[in-house]
Amino acid sequence: GAGVSQSPSNKVTEKGKDVELRCDPISGHTALYWYRQSLGQGLEFLIYFQGNSAPDKSGLPSDRFSAERTGGSVSTLTIQRTQQEDSAVYLCASSYRQGNTEAFFGQGTRLTVV
Amino acid sequence: DAKTTQPPSMDCAEGRAANLPCNHSTISGNEYVYWYRQIHSQGPQYIIHGLKNNETNEMASLIITEDRKSSTLILPHATLRDTAVYYCIVRADSWGKLQFGAGTQVVVTP
């Protein structure tokens, strides 16, 4: 596609429910990143994929958070038993490869846990 | 990744050049300097990056000091649409993630 696509753009869920957030990277991009941004805060790194493997998942805040990537393309970020503090904009980015290249960001999924 | 230091905010008059400083005194030889910006309610946008030589593209110029301990992003003719948070990031070539700091809130005024 023309850019990184994220869905849904907005998600409201009840506390305790599970949610899945989807990221479609730019075709041919092998590196994929997930970040989150709470209201008025900076970007917090969550996890990074190179192909289908995740060499750096150091930013996942708890074991309620998991992510997978299949076919070297689409990635899904899953949050189990959502809490109010999970409310944030979740951003996905992709790049042609790791390292010295620019990353392109999607517009994000705004998650609200009520 | 080396830590970067940026002023929290700065104002710029429309049509004038905006010079955004960044200190990265602990940068290593294999680390690049990247600049991104985030316009309100949008995802971050790549601007430019460089290793040691000055770089220029259609958006901006990047000036890196000879000792590489600091750099300046130059927006040559700021417009109101350049109002955004600008992030200076230092990143090793072999690293995956971009580590965002607090950035500089730039406000371009008429």
Side-chain angles (χ1 to χ4, degrees):
Chain A
V4 177
S5 177
Q6 292 188 245
S7 60
S9 55
N10 283 283
K11 175 73 176 178
V12 180
T13 189
E14 294 181 350
K15 178 182 174 181
K17 300 279 190 180
D18 298 351
V19 295
E20 285 189 353
L21 312 180
R22 177 186 170 105
C23 173
D24 281 274
I26 293 172
S27 178
H29 280 193
T30 62
L32 186 147
Y33 317 80
W34 283 98
Y35 289 80
R36 77 174 175 180
Q37 189 168 33
S38 301
L39 187 63
Q41 302 297 311
L43 286 93
E44 176 187 6
F45 169 79
L46 297 178
I47 187 170
Y48 152 66
F49 287 91
Q50 180 61 35
N52 291 335
S53 63
D56 189 348
K57 53 180 77 171
S58 62
L60 294 178
S62 74
D63 58 8
R64 296 187 295 105
F65 288 72
S66 63
E68 65 175 12
R69 189 178 185 196
T70 55
S73 181
V74 172
S75 177
T76 301
L77 178 69
T78 301
I79 308 173
Q80 296 178 311
R81 305 180 303 280
T82 53
Q83 303 295 314
Q84 288 186 329
E85 61 263 28
D86 299 335
S87 296
V89 176
Y90 289 81
L91 290 154
C92 175
S94 71
S95 62
Y96 179 63
R97 60 176 178 85
Q98 70 180 46
N100 180 26
T101 183
E102 60 264 41
F104 296 87
F105 282 79
Q107 291 304 301
T109 293
R110 181 175 298 278
L111 176 67
T112 304
V113 182
V114 297
Chain B
D1 287 335
K3 183 177 178 179
T4 62
T5 304
Q6 299 178 253
S9 64
M10 63 184 295
D11 295 335
C12 178
E14 187 179 19
R16 306 293 290 270
N19 295 283
L20 282 63
C22 180
N23 286 317
H24 31 79
S25 59
T26 59
I27 192 170
S28 300
N30 66 340
E31 290 180 319
Y32 288 73
V33 180
Y34 282 77
W35 284 84
Y36 281 76
R37 73 180 183 183
Q38 188 174 26
I39 297 170
H40 183 62
S41 298
Q42 296 184 21
Q45 176 189 24
Y46 166 83
I47 301 173
I48 199 167
H49 75 282
L51 182 62
K52 54 183 179 182
N53 296 324
N54 298 337
E55 302 287 343
T56 296
N57 63 20
E58 65 278 3
M59 289 183 67
S61 295
L62 173 61
I63 309 298
I64 302 173
T65 58
E66 191 169 344
D67 64 7
R68 304 210 320 124
K69 293 185 177 182
S70 65
S71 60
T72 301
L73 178 75
I74 301 173
L75 307 178
H77 305 287
T79 71
L80 299 179
R81 289 175 295 180
D82 291 323
T83 291
V85 178
Y86 287 76
Y87 298 97
C88 171
I89 301 164
V90 171
R91 177 200 199 191
D93 184 39
S94 60
W95 277 60
K97 67 187 178 187
L98 291 160
Q99 199 78 21
F100 288 83
T104 296
Q105 172 68 65
V106 172
V107 177
V108 180
T109 56

